[in-house]
Amino acid sequence: GEDVEQSLFLSVREGDSSVINCTYTDSSSTYLYWYKQEPGAGLQLLTYIFSNMDMKQDQRLTVLLNKKDKHLSLRIADTQTGDSAIYFCARVRGGADGLTFGKGTHLIIQP
Amino acid sequence: ETGVTQTPRHLVMGMTNKKSLKCEQHLGHNAMYWYKQSAKKPLELMFVYSLEERVENNSVPSRFSPECPNSSHLFLHLHTLQPEDSALYLCASSQELGGTQYFGPGTRLLVL
């Protein structure tokens, strides 16, 4: 299987919460990231979490990390049309190790 | 000034052409990266530079040649590319090697 896995699509209603899930295999990952990519654009860093933390909150975003299960999630509260994008989960070990990405989850917002 | 810039934003080239992609970071970072994003694969790390020294080359074909003349600039020189090299090429930088990476907008490359 892939090193980092995500569902390809998630559809939610405007105003609801979105939860995007990610699993990874490398237990030596030091940091885990969520990036957002809008059409025709590069990757925008949304948030990150250090591997010894289990939760981080930043305004509408909540990241949960279950290190035992190697599971990371991103919750977006009160989802808006502007949240429509591809969300990438990524991990790094540090040093010369670059980021290893999942394939991205397309977040689709229904009115 | 935007943190990481890339030029050109779009590029169309024939298989016999030679072109270069440019990346510039205005963040005072010491490490820079090239990634390839193609339609059917996850983002792939291509090259890593730290303090202008290449520290990682992920089995990238020699038709891609990186250059890092200083810590603010990174180039990707392209020659005799194949149609399967068509992709979005993303540059990123981080304060130190392995640190949080910030990405540029990418160069959309089409090889005919």
Side-chain angles (χ1 to χ4, degrees):
Chain A
E2 299 285 347
D3 189 359
V4 180
E5 292 196 353
Q6 305 176 237
S7 299
L8 290 183
F9 295 95
L10 175 66
S11 179
V12 298
R13 287 186 175 275
E14 190 175 358
D16 287 351
S17 291
S18 307
V19 180
I20 303 171
N21 294 299
C22 170
T23 57
Y24 59 97
T25 58
D26 190 339
S27 57
S28 62
S29 300
T30 53
Y31 283 91
L32 296 118
Y33 297 87
W34 286 103
Y35 285 86
K36 175 184 180 183
Q37 187 177 36
E38 297 182 68
L43 272 67
Q44 174 194 351
L45 176 67
L46 282 180
T47 187
Y48 62 92
I49 189 167
F50 187 50
S51 59
N52 69 354
M53 297 170 64
D54 51 23
M55 187 182 95
K56 181 178 180 181
Q57 187 154 4
D58 183 3
Q59 298 183 331
R60 291 192 297 127
L61 305 179
T62 303
V63 178
L64 295 178
L65 174 61
N66 182 327
K67 195 173 179 182
K68 174 175 170 289
D69 294 338
K70 302 190 193 70
H71 181 269
L72 182 73
S73 68
L74 174 69
R75 178 177 178 270
I76 305 173
D78 187 25
T79 309
Q80 303 298 308
T81 54
D83 295 323
S84 180
I86 304 174
Y87 290 80
F88 290 92
C89 170
R91 52 141 287 267
V92 71
R93 282 178 295 188
D97 184 37
L99 290 166
T100 301
F101 286 87
K103 291 186 177 179
T105 299
H106 293 245
L107 179 61
I108 300 163
I109 315 300
Q110 298 175 1
Chain B
E1 178 71 75
T2 307
V4 182
T5 57
Q6 292 185 241
T7 54
R9 294 294 310 276
H10 302 272
L11 179 61
V12 180
M13 59 188 289
M15 288 190 285
T16 57
N17 291 158
K18 289 185 181 181
K19 296 286 184 183
S20 295
L21 309 185
K22 178 183 175 183
C23 175
E24 183 173 0
Q25 57 95 1
H26 310 272
L27 301 168
H29 287 171
N30 293 319
M32 296 186 78
Y33 311 78
W34 278 118
Y35 289 85
K36 176 183 178 183
Q37 185 180 29
S38 48
K40 297 183 179 178
K41 293 184 182 179
L43 276 133
E44 302 170 84
L45 177 67
M46 299 176 73
F47 300 104
V48 180
Y49 276 82
S50 176
L51 297 171
E52 300 130 54
E53 296 289 326
R54 190 192 308 181
V55 296
E56 185 74 21
N57 175 352
N58 269 10
S59 303
V60 179
S62 60
R63 56 186 185 269
F64 295 91
S65 174
E67 179 191 2
C68 188
N70 55 63
S71 59
S72 299
H73 293 86
L74 185 65
F75 293 89
L76 188 62
H77 304 299
L78 316 172
H79 62 99
T80 59
L81 293 193
Q82 305 298 310
E84 60 265 28
D85 297 321
S86 299
L88 181 68
Y89 289 85
L90 290 160
C91 173
S93 71
S94 61
Q95 180 62 54
E96 69 286 338
L97 202 59
T100 299
Q101 294 179 30
Y102 295 86
F103 284 79
T107 295
R108 176 73 61 185
L109 174 66
L110 177 62
V111 181
L112 301 176

